[in-house]
Amino acid sequence: MADVTSDGSGARPAGWPSGRLGHNRSVTVPRPVEASSALMARARRVTPGGVNSPVRAFTAVGGTPRFIRSASGALLTDVDGNEYVDLICSWGPMLLGHAHPEVQAAVAAAVARGTSYGTPTEPEVELAEEIVARTPVERVRFVSSGTEATMSAIRLARGFTGRDVIVKFAGCYHGHVDSLLASAGSGLATLAVPGTAGVPVSSTALTIVLPYNDRAAVTAAFTEHGDRIACLVTEAAAGNMGVVPPEPGFNAFLAETCRSHGALFVSDEVMTGFRASRQGYWGIDGAQEGWVPDLVTFGKVMGGGFPAAAFGGRADVMALLAPEGPVYQAGTLSGNPIATTAGLATLRLADEGVYEHLTKAGETIKAGATDALTAAGVPHVVQSAGTMFSVFFTGGPVTDFAGASAQDTAAYAAFFHAMLEGGVYLPPSAYEAWFLSAAHDDAAIDTIMSALPGAAQAAARASEDPT
Ligand SMILES: Cc1ncc(COP(=O)(O)O)c(C=O)c1O
């Protein structure tokens, strides 16, 4: 990718038509929400909570979720005609921005050839080759969601090791797999309890939940249960409690602890993969330090906005999967030709220039958020993992879920709504990363920077008056 400026100004990268998107807007009257409200009322009558994934319901921030009608580049347009600069990016997948012309063309051509055959296809092979070339995995198997990827990786780890216990960290999310929706038991290194209704005690009885970044807790758990542990699964850098990077050497320590106890190290790169860096978060730590995870899970960016995910890793471990080996795993739409075509087009366009752009745009926005919140006197800390970042509404640094949970969520809710009025769609929860894309150009960044001071003042007022 050639035409990214090096001045941090966020000019549009290759593949996008040049020119401004024209989405700056002076805020004088509240944005209309009637059409979104009406749709939400209809949705509630036919769908629990009106949404198909809980965070979309605005439960944490209150108010009306905006129903989006279309999106292009960095912009969302809702059913009331409001435009927003998108800082959700579909919770990570839209690395290049919405409706990228080249991805759209590839998808349209694929759709014209039929949408699903239930047979092997060439795009699957090409996408697998691209993933193997960019990451430490030797073999990869496609599934349709990150949840399936982690669920399958755990089954494979258990099949390979012949062991049953798994270890995870509080605040790391790996999809809605029963055994991973677990909360820490009464003491470190004890087995976990269900983290949600509907998960039987028996599903979490083989899970150990530990505090993130806590080496002593990991050592204690492996000392006590090491000969029963099939795998430790961790986000490569935590992004689901806000962005909490692993402390330097933490992932290497986990990899070595697993190795020395005969357990597998499963690095969940569903969020960080092809986003934190070209090689995912592993490109920032393992590739530099010289270690590799045994298994890796992927999703989000590799599907280019379609339902595609994957797990992969060591050839000898992956060889245990059916039909080569005895560990069963399958899927009607796994490796779907449209999804793999979108993912392939996305990854081929996601060159170093895209990551440079995300880094520079992120630096500008992080500095703007810091300045605005500092000026307004709002305690906060901005944290990053590669090109990913988030803003915590608590004094930092945040190293684990307990720290993330100390946030002033009322201040975030006020900040969120002020940003929304200012034309910026942030994640409707304080516990999420802010996602950028290659399409976040100067105009998009200007809109964000203009909205920040007023939003910071709204957060300050909410902090002072928590009613
Ligand atoms: C790190 C991580 N793993 C797994 C998942 C689950 O992916 P999906 O929502 O595609 O099931 C997510 C989703 O946000 C995630 O962030």
Side-chain angles (χ1 to χ4, degrees):
M1 203 183 73
D3 61 347
V4 171
T5 57
S6 57
D7 60 1
S9 63
R12 294 191 114 184
W16 284 104
S18 60
R20 294 193 160 225
L21 295 167
H23 43 72
N24 276 334
R25 169 188 183 277
S26 57
V27 183
T28 47
V29 289
R31 290 166 175 261
V33 295
E34 287 75 14
S36 280
S37 295
L39 271 174
M40 191 60 177
R42 278 175 60 194
R44 280 188 194 284
R45 287 198 282 273
V46 288
T47 300
V51 293
N52 288 302
S53 201
V55 72
R56 299 177 196 170
F58 276 28
T59 311
V61 293
T64 308
R66 305 311 195 255
F67 281 65
I68 301 305
R69 186 175 59 205
S70 64
S72 178
L75 285 188
L76 302 172
T77 304
D78 74 11
V79 289
D80 287 285
N82 299 301
E83 279 189 343
Y84 302 97
V85 173
D86 183 13
L87 286 180
I88 302 179
C89 287
S90 189
W91 303 95
M94 309 318 297
L95 184 78
L96 303 176
H98 296 283
H100 189 288
E102 289 178 51
V103 178
Q104 277 200 320
V107 167
V111 168
R113 294 190 292 269
T115 53
S116 183
Y117 324 120
T119 67
T121 61
E122 188 171 358
E124 290 166 80
V125 181
E126 290 185 292
L127 182 58
E129 286 169 349
E130 180 78 25
I131 291 173
V132 167
R134 284 169 85 124
T135 71
V137 306
E138 296 174 324
R139 303 273 189 282
V140 64
R141 167 68 59 85
F142 293 134
V143 290
S144 300
S145 71
T147 297
E148 273 184 87
T150 56
M151 179 187 78
S152 305
I154 286 169
R155 183 181 308 144
L156 180 57
R158 285 175 163 155
F160 183 79
T161 59
R163 298 173 176 183
D164 51 10
V165 173
I166 58 179
V167 180
K168 78 172 289 276
F169 293 108
C172 283
Y173 177 68
H174 306 286
H176 61 102
V177 181
D178 277 2
S179 62
L180 296 174
L181 291 178
S183 299
S186 53
L188 292 181
T190 63
L191 298 166
V193 296
T196 174
V199 171
V201 170
S202 57
S203 290
T204 55
L206 297 172
T207 306
I208 296 172
V209 182
L210 303 175
Y212 193 56
N213 273 322
D214 188 336
R215 293 183 190 219
V218 173
T219 301
F222 275 84
T223 302
E224 193 165 337
H225 302 286
D227 58 347
R228 286 187 64 193
I229 295 175
C231 65
L232 179 149
V233 55
T234 181
E235 286 188 61
N240 281 291
M241 50 177 147
V243 174
V244 180
E247 285 173 355
F250 185 62
N251 282 340
F253 162 78
L254 297 178
E256 174 53 25
T257 302
C258 287
R259 195 200 58 73
S260 64
H261 287 86
L264 299 189
F265 179 46
V266 182
S267 181
D268 183 348
E269 295 246 26
V270 168
M271 184 183 283
T272 50
F274 318 110
R275 176 167 277 282
S277 84
R278 194 177 174 281
Q279 298 172 294
Y281 198 76
W282 180 80
I284 294 167
D285 61 7
Q288 316 294 326
E289 297 162 2
W291 55 269
V292 295
D294 299 298
L295 291 173
V296 186
T297 54
F298 303 103
K300 297 188 187 273
V301 171
M302 62 151 283
F306 284 81
F311 62 104
R314 278 166 46 185
D316 61 329
V317 179
M318 294 299 286
L320 259 69
L321 273 184
E324 242 178 292
V327 177
Y328 188 70
Q329 188 279 330
T332 301
L333 292 178
S334 295
N336 171 271
I338 312 303
T340 47
T341 296
L344 186 63
T346 299
L347 291 189
R348 285 187 173 158
L349 287 159
D351 59 16
E352 286 302 343
V354 164
Y355 299 97
E356 281 168 26
H357 178 83
L358 295 185
T359 301
K360 286 169 189 158
E363 292 306 327
T364 307
I365 295 164
K366 286 188 279 184
T370 302
D371 290 350
L373 290 165
T374 303
V378 178
H380 69 280
V381 60
V382 181
Q383 297 195 172
S384 308
T387 72
M388 282 173 29
F389 69 96
S390 72
V391 180
F392 290 91
F393 282 66
T394 179
V398 173
T399 58
D400 60 13
F401 189 54
S405 302
Q407 288 193 87
D408 182 345
T409 50
Y412 182 78
F415 180 82
F416 167 85
H417 279 291
M419 291 295 283
L420 201 60
E421 273 305 312
V424 181
Y425 207 133
L426 282 170
S429 161
Y431 294 88
E432 306 289 351
W434 297 13
F435 290 107
L436 286 171
S437 79
H440 282 72
D441 60 359
D442 293 348
I445 292 170
D446 285 353
T447 301
I448 297 167
M449 300 299 272
S450 307
L452 281 168
Q457 285 153 20
R461 286 193 296 277
S463 268
E464 284 158 16
D465 176 17
T467 59

